[in-house]
């Protein structure tokens, strides 16, 4: 059976207003609400969100009607009061995140008060989702207003599959880092199992930000959290193509008596002025939409190409939006003024260059406009997607019409057949308006045909379907790890086996397994708790503790001198038994070091923050402290360069966590462990490690050994465990038995 989907967004798909004690219900505008409507009706779904009315506006007389509307529309209300609305909606969502994510950093304000409310309201949403979620439901959270919600839900209900989709751009790290609460916000989103963006650009900004702020490893499109895998992908949102295409068709063949007033007036105007072409723009009145640029560019066009005066009219529909935010208010005046100025300057008795509407319009009038306009001019300065561009193309049933679209809109990635412009380049816009007016019909048809085919295929149903399928798949990926993860039952089994055994050996890697990573290797020295734990284990004569590490013997000797553990250093070059001296496990030559060192030195110079560590039988390049992306890039280059050299010297390259190590071939932890086991008989063998170099150990230990990898990722070990802290917990249990 298809699982139920709970859609969660700040705004419900219906907007409720009160008019004379009566409810006035209209569909919500904006890409998100319009786009998800079809998912809502087809996926046995409930939609959780805010009605558009604050509690203070709702009295007992209208309450029943609201409840009724919620029920009829399969919606669940999240009640918001005046203060929530002010601080969460206008405040943090629209005065901090919206401008910041659209690169309007100068408009972004950072107020603790609005941040606190943002957290509280997200918690309010989380409580309502949790209250309504049934077993097996999928939760699909939408957009920047609810970025903390995934984590809040995941903490309480880890069983629920959670998807998060960001409908606006995810900015570059350099911009995101400005936010004082950047870490909390990222962690909030990472509560999801699947995170979706409109374009790959937003996705890569997100990866780079996660790497830099949280330091998680990312493999292809998977982020490895300590206890979970999160998948990230781009899903460009489509539109309900048929709805627009059919509505346009219906509009064209409608009987005169059924025509809307707008349609009649437009048709009459075009009949009276057969030479005039209409250029359309539709957007919310938002500073990201480049409305002022558009007007300026249009004015520039009229001056640059005066032969078109009287022959084009710009119809500009701006839908009121977030009018309480001062930047929006300012912008409204600016646009009013610009329109006034242009019309004042260019109008003639029978021609007005700009028709400006500041209001919302019903769907059928939207179609009237799409159908009657030969050109659409959309010039956002930043836009997550821009569905209007897609809707315009879908409405051109005769395939005629030219779309001029800003390259800053997510939609431009999929609509390269449009005339793509930079919204700050007035010359380019003016030239493209001229080209659009003069474009031969055949060319228009070729371009629109390609775009329409694509829009038909990647429609909103496909978008939602792809996202939901991916959400199902994520679960499969995660389950692979869950089945290997040490749970209470497995832990008990391991402890019982240990308890019953008479001769045990424990191979323990050090960094990442017994201690966490530090920026400088020398800082990761053992703490009192660790000494105590290992001592307690080693005191039992039935147990041999072997610390098997890539560290050099000097460091291990310094930290574990006089301890009753066996030490294996440099991945298996040296061994030291308790109360004995170090001895070489294998004899090796090190003449190669000089050549390799000169290569690595060059990488140290070119990669700030990286450094070289020289061990007796190996050289290691560390890049943990380097810029994460540069580090990865240089590591690949270094590996490339070393590959030809190592073959000549009988060396091999080991890739650990943020390190590249070159050492003599054949020396590895697996071989060293096998040597240590020798022909002795053990009835309990364990190996625990966290990185690639420990895979040799897991591979070579006998089949009956218990092998455990710390962290997630593909491994030859039998089990996974979350972190070094969990390793310590397990060792504590072994020590106590
Ligand atoms: P944003 O999401 O930033 O508002 P989009 O272009 O992605 O911008 O989406 C706007 C959506 O709102 C479109 O689906 C469009 O059809 C709808 N819309 C725009 N103006 C109106 C209007 N006046 N009345 C009804 N719907 C509108
Ligand atoms: C954009 C945002 C949506 C938002 C819509 C309308 O599409 O991505 O999250 O709902 O604009 O804005 P509003 O503030 O009215 O909800």
């Amino acid at each position: 059976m298809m699982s139920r989907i709970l859609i969660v967004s700040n705004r419900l798909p219906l907007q409720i207003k009160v008019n004379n004690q009566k409810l006035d219900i209209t569909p919500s505008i904006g890409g998100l609400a319009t786009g998800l409507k079809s998912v809502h009706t087809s996926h046995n779904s409930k939609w959780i969100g805010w009605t558009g009315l604050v509690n203070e506006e709702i009295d007992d007389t209208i309450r029943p009607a609201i409840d009724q509307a919620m029920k009829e529309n399969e919606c669940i209300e999240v009640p918001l009061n005046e203060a929530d609305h002010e601080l969460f909606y206008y405040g943090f969502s629209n005065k901090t995140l919206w401008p910041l994510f659209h690169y309007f950093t100068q408009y972004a304000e950072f107020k603790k008060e609005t941040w606190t409310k943002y957290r509280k309201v997200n918690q309010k949403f989380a409580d309502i989702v949790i209250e309504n979620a049934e077993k097996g439901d999928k939760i699909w959270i939408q957009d920047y207003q609810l970025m903390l919600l995934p984590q809040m839900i995941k903490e309480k209900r880890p069983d629920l599959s959670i998807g998060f989709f960001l409908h606006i751009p995810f900015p570059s790290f350099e911009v995101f880092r400005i936010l004082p609460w950047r870490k909390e916000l990222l962690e909030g989103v990472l509560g999801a199992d699947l995170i979706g963006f409109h374009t790959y650009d937003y996705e890569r900004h997100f990866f780079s930000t996660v790497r830099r702020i949280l330091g998680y490893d990312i493999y292809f499109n998977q982020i490895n959290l300590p206890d979970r895998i999160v998948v990230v992908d781009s899903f460009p949102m489509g539109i309900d193509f048929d709805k627009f295409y059919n509505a346009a068709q219906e509009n064209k063949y409608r009987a005169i008596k059924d025509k809307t007033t707008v349609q009649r007036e437009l048709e009459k105007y075009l009949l009276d002025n057969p030479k005039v072409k209409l250029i359309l723009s539709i957007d919310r009145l938002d500073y990201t939409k480049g409305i002022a640029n558009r007007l300026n560019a249009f004015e520039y066009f009229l001056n640059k190409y005066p032969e078109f005066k009287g022959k084009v009219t710009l119809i500009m529909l701006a839908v009121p939006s977030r009018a309480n935010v001062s930047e929006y208010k300012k912008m409204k005046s600016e646009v009013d003024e610009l329109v006034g100025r242009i019309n004042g300057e260019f109008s003639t008795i029978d021609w007005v260059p700009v028709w400006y509407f500041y209001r919302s319009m019903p769907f059928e009038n939207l179609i009237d406009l799409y159908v009657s306009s030969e050109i659409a001019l959309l010039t956002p300065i930043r836009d997550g997607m821009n569905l209007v561009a897609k809707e315009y193309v879908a409405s051109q049933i005769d395939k005629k019409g030219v779309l001029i679209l800003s390259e800053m809109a997510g939609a431009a990635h999929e609509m390269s057949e449009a005339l793509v412009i930079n919204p700050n380049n007035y010359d380019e816009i003016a030239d493209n308006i001229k080209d659009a007016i003069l474009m031969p019909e055949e060319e228009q048809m070729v371009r629109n045909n390609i775009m329409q085919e694509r829009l038909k295929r990647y429609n909103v149903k496909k978008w939602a379907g792809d996202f939901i399928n991916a959400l199902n798949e994520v679960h499969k990926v995660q389950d692979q790890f869950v089945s290997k993860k040490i749970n209470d039952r497995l832990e008990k089994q391991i402890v019982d086996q240990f308890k019953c055994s008479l001769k045990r050996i424990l191979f323990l890697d050090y960094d990442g397994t017994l201690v966490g990573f530090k920026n400088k290797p020398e800082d990761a020295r053992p703490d009192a708790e660790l000494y105590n734990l290992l001592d307690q284990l080693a005191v039992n004569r039935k147990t041999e503790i072997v610390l098997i590490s890539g560290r050099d013997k000097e460091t291990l000797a310094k930290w574990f001198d006089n301890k009753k553990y066996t030490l294996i250093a440099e991945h298996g070059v040296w061994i030291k038994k308790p109360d004995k001296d170090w001895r070489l496990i294998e004899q090796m030559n090190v003449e190669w070091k000089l050549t390799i060192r000169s290569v690595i030195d060059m990488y140290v110079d070119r990669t700030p923050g990286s450094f070289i560590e020289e061990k007796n039988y190996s050289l290691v390049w560390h890049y943990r402290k380097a810029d994460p992306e540069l580090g990865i890039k240089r590591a690949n280059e270094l590996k490339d360069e070393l590959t030809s050299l190592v073959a000549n010297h009988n060396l091999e390259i080991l890739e650990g966590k943020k390190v590249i190590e070159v050492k003599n071939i054949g020396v590895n932890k697996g071989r060293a462990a096998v040597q240590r086991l020798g022909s002795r008989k053990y009835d309990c063998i364990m190996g625990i490690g966290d990185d690639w170099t420990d895979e040799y150990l897991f591979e070579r230990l006998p089949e009956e050994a218990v092998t455990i990898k710390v962290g997630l990722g593909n491994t030859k070990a039998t089990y996974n465990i979350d972190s070094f802290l969990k390793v310590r917990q397990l060792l504590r249990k072994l020590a106590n038995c």
Side-chain angles (χ1 to χ4, degrees), residues 551-712:
R551 294 264 184 177
D552 61 19
K553 72 182 199 316
E554 286 71 22
T555 309
L556 291 187
K558 190 167 77 191
W559 289 345
F560 300 106
D561 203 19
N562 295 327
K563 293 288 184 192
K564 297 283 175 215
Y565 339 135
T566 301
L567 306 175
I568 294 181
E570 297 193 24
H571 302 290
V573 177
W574 298 95
I575 186 162
K576 181 189 174 304
K577 296 207 200 116
D579 309 319
K580 299 263 169 57
D581 286 334
W582 286 99
R583 73 176 167 78
L584 274 174
I585 300 181
E586 315 230 1
Q587 198 66 46
M588 280 164 303
N589 93 40
V590 285
E591 280 154 19
W592 54 268
K593 270 186 167 176
L594 218 59
T595 323
I596 301 289
R597 186 167 184 127
S598 65
V599 175
I600 300 184
D601 275 342
M602 215 165 68
Y603 281 80
V604 173
D605 292 342
R606 291 169 61 213
T607 320
S610 75
F611 60 92
I612 188 166
E613 181 190 3
E614 177 157 1
K615 301 187 198 169
N616 294 304
Y617 290 93
S618 69
L619 288 173
V620 195
W621 182 64
H622 289 260
Y623 61 96
R624 179 167 300 276
K625 276 199 311 172
D627 173 286
E629 271 147 20
L630 181 66
I632 292 170
K633 182 165 168 265
R634 291 275 189 266
N636 284 330
E637 288 171 16
L638 175 62
K639 268 191 297 182
D640 247 19
E641 197 163 342
L642 288 173
T643 307
S644 56
L645 287 171
V646 293
N648 298 336
H649 290 87
N650 215 18
L651 302 171
E652 66 182 338
I653 306 171
L654 281 188
E655 209 181 341
K657 286 208 175 132
K658 313 277 185 206
V659 294
I660 301 248
E661 179 151 6
V662 184
K663 59 173 199 48
N664 293 67
I665 216 158
V667 178
N668 63 51
K669 290 182 179 178
R671 191 152 144 162
V674 168
Q675 283 221 13
R676 179 63 214 128
L677 291 174
S679 55
R680 283 173 287 272
K681 289 266 171 287
Y682 294 91
D683 52 0
C684 175
I685 302 173
M686 280 174 75
I688 313 183
D690 72 306
D691 91 18
W692 200 76
T693 62
D694 300 306
E695 293 297 321
Y696 286 109
L697 178 70
F698 303 146
E699 194 176 15
R700 298 289 303 273
L701 285 181
E703 214 178 314
E704 66 278 13
V706 173
T707 48
I708 305 175
K709 178 182 164 73
V710 186
L712 296 181

Side-chain angles (χ1 to χ4, degrees), residues 236-248:
M237 187 178 190
I239 55 164
D240 187 343
F241 181 87
D242 291 345
K243 180 174 150 192
F244 285 88
Y245 191 84
N246 295 340

